[in-house]
Amino acid sequence: MSVSAPPRPVEVPRRPAVRRPVFAWRPGRADREVLWLYVLTRVGLWTTAGAARWLFPSDDQARNPASFLSPWQQWDWWHYLHIAQDGYFPDQAGPWTVGWDNREAFLPGFPLTLRAVHAVVPHWAAAGALISFVAGGVAVLALARIARRHLPDPDAGRRTVLFFLLSPCAVFLAAGYTEALFLALALPAWLAAQRRNWPAAGALACLACSVRVTGLFLVAALVLHFALTTRGSRAWRAAPWLCLPALSPVLYSWYLEAGTGDWMAWKHAQERGWYRDFHAPWDAWANTWNAAFHHLHPTGYALMWQAELLAMLAGVILLVLLVRGRRWPEALYIGLTLWALGTSYWYTSIPRSTLLWWPLWIGLAAWSHRRPRVLTVYLCVAAPLATTVALTFLTGRWAG
């Protein structure tokens, strides 16, 4: 008796691949945990700011506290505010004016956003706080998703964000500064590149370049990542999207040339106002070391420069680890950042810049997964430092 052959399996046509968006509008459970952690830390920072205006008034004889938003109106905030209110060259003033504030050193992305939000939120400081609050939420979501792509730990996203939000300089994410807005553009750009969505990566990087010069280093990392991961002539057709970020610096330089006759006016303003002219790395280290330990400045500033030195050391260690791990695009991003920060007369704002080093926070999360005590030690050390930096910033006692 013959046995009939089994029926042929029916081939089910495969569904075409769907490109996932950079951000899903419905966050999952892991995303909601990250956002909850973000909100809790915002409550803590705003509580600290509220206490600071009562405990540390600018006038020791004051009987009433300062306004609710006054602690956030410190240092660089005034530059962004004046640009948003009056533009870069009000009433024909500029670098040729005595007492000029060198505002052209600050890129237009944040002031333009501030002016746009101000059309809806009348109070300038409230508009700045709202920008940072929303942008910070986008940034932590993107950071968590990047971490989950790199680490096998199911808790990688929350752990990475915890390190990030409790970092010593985390107060600047809530202030009317550029860190939160830059990360809200740069991290989704990097996430888009991981997903081979080069149009989104290029557009987001273009916007990031309008917020901070660090955006140029991000673009370099994106280009290297594209070169290392792209295969086939068809995939290389997306390469022109990575030229889009050049639009931001070109347009800003053209605007400055029209107003000052100087294509590099932003760089020269940094040199005049913040000593960011070029020096050899060893000279910059020596100048910072002298300022930190040779009793040339008040103790608050000396402590600031000591923190600059520690942050530079942390950055160099991070760079070495990235090179050893052959994570070339991230190493390029960190290396260019360290070169830019480490070749001024002395170090400035390196601790703040650590907020922008997303490989650092992912690396700490990976280390703590292997050695759980790392998280405990970090929390015990970072929490007092974060509180100290927050109070010194919110009270205007320290320019770090």
Side-chain angles (χ1 to χ4, degrees):
M1 183 177 69
S2 63
V3 179
S4 60
R8 296 178 58 186
V10 178
E11 294 186 2
V12 179
R14 297 177 62 184
R15 297 178 61 183
V18 179
R19 176 175 288 178
R20 296 178 61 191
V22 178
F23 264 98
W25 291 110
R26 292 185 178 181
R29 179 179 178 182
D31 291 331
R32 290 194 294 271
E33 290 180 358
V34 166
L35 289 175
W36 177 242
L37 181 61
Y38 175 70
V39 171
L40 284 179
T41 55
R42 300 313 89 186
V43 171
L45 278 173
W46 280 91
T47 302
T48 302
R53 66 192 182 97
W54 282 88
L55 296 174
F56 305 102
S58 57
D59 180 5
D60 292 338
Q61 303 302 317
R63 296 293 185 269
N64 294 307
S67 66
F68 182 71
L69 291 167
S70 61
W72 300 100
Q73 298 172 312
Q74 306 288 353
W75 308 108
D76 288 356
W77 160 255
W78 298 111
H79 291 284
Y80 300 124
L81 177 64
H82 295 156
I83 296 169
Q85 289 177 329
D86 308 320
Y88 280 95
F89 309 112
D91 301 323
Q92 274 48 88
W96 51 86
T97 305
V98 177
W100 179 241
D101 60 4
N102 299 306
R103 64 181 65 182
E104 65 271 25
F106 298 87
L107 299 184
F110 185 84
L112 286 173
T113 306
L114 180 62
R115 189 174 183 88
V117 175
H118 174 67
V120 180
V121 181
H123 196 288
W124 286 101
L130 179 61
I131 293 170
S132 293
F133 178 76
V134 175
V138 174
V140 297
L141 277 180
L143 178 61
R145 294 180 181 186
I146 294 171
R148 289 197 291 267
R149 290 181 65 89
H150 283 82
L151 303 179
D153 179 13
D155 195 36
R158 188 186 65 84
R159 189 183 295 264
T160 301
V161 168
L162 182 63
F163 278 101
F164 173 65
L165 292 177
L166 296 181
S167 63
C169 289
V171 64
F172 294 104
L173 292 171
Y177 277 40
T178 57
E179 279 78 5
L181 182 59
F182 175 79
L183 288 171
L185 299 166
L187 292 178
W190 187 254
L191 185 60
Q194 302 298 301
R195 296 173 174 175
R196 310 294 191 272
N197 189 343
W198 298 111
L204 290 166
C206 181
L207 294 174
C209 286
S210 74
V211 178
R212 291 181 68 98
V213 175
T214 317
L216 297 175
F217 311 147
L218 170 69
V219 174
L222 289 174
V223 170
L224 181 57
H225 180 64
F226 179 85
L228 293 175
T229 60
T230 302
R231 300 290 183 271
S233 58
R234 183 174 182 180
W236 274 87
R237 295 176 185 174
W241 284 105
L242 295 179
C243 299
L244 183 61
L247 185 63
S248 290
V250 168
L251 286 178
Y252 185 53
S253 295
W254 173 77
Y255 169 78
L256 292 179
E257 195 279 335
T260 67
D262 182 6
W263 285 92
M264 297 294 290
W266 66 271
K267 181 67 170 64
H268 297 149
Q270 293 239 343
E271 294 172 356
R272 289 191 304 268
W274 293 269
Y275 304 102
R276 290 191 182 273
D277 50 338
F278 179 80
H279 289 263
W282 45 89
D283 290 334
W285 174 274
N287 292 334
T288 309
W289 183 274
N290 291 336
F293 296 109
H294 287 187
H295 310 290
L296 303 176
H297 301 276
T299 56
Y301 283 92
L303 180 62
M304 177 188 74
W305 275 302
Q306 292 169 23
E308 299 282 349
L309 293 168
L310 286 174
M312 175 58 76
L313 284 175
V316 171
I317 293 172
L318 174 62
L319 177 60
V320 170
L321 293 175
L322 290 173
V323 171
R324 286 184 58 186
R326 300 181 181 273
R327 293 175 58 182
W328 304 116
E330 293 96 328
L332 179 61
Y333 173 76
I334 298 299
L336 290 174
T337 301
L338 292 177
W339 178 260
L341 294 171
T343 53
S344 299
Y345 176 78
W346 50 33
Y347 299 160
T348 306
S349 300
I350 300 180
R352 276 176 55 190
S353 294
T354 61
L355 292 170
L356 314 181
W357 300 351
W358 74 87
L360 172 63
W361 312 116
I362 295 175
L364 286 173
W367 189 19
S368 68
H369 177 62
R370 296 191 300 269
R371 298 179 179 272
R373 289 185 180 179
V374 169
L375 179 58
T376 304
V377 173
Y378 180 85
L379 293 178
C380 292
V381 175
L385 288 176
T387 303
T388 301
V389 174
L391 284 174
T392 51
F393 171 78
L394 294 168
T395 58
R397 306 294 176 91
W398 180 30

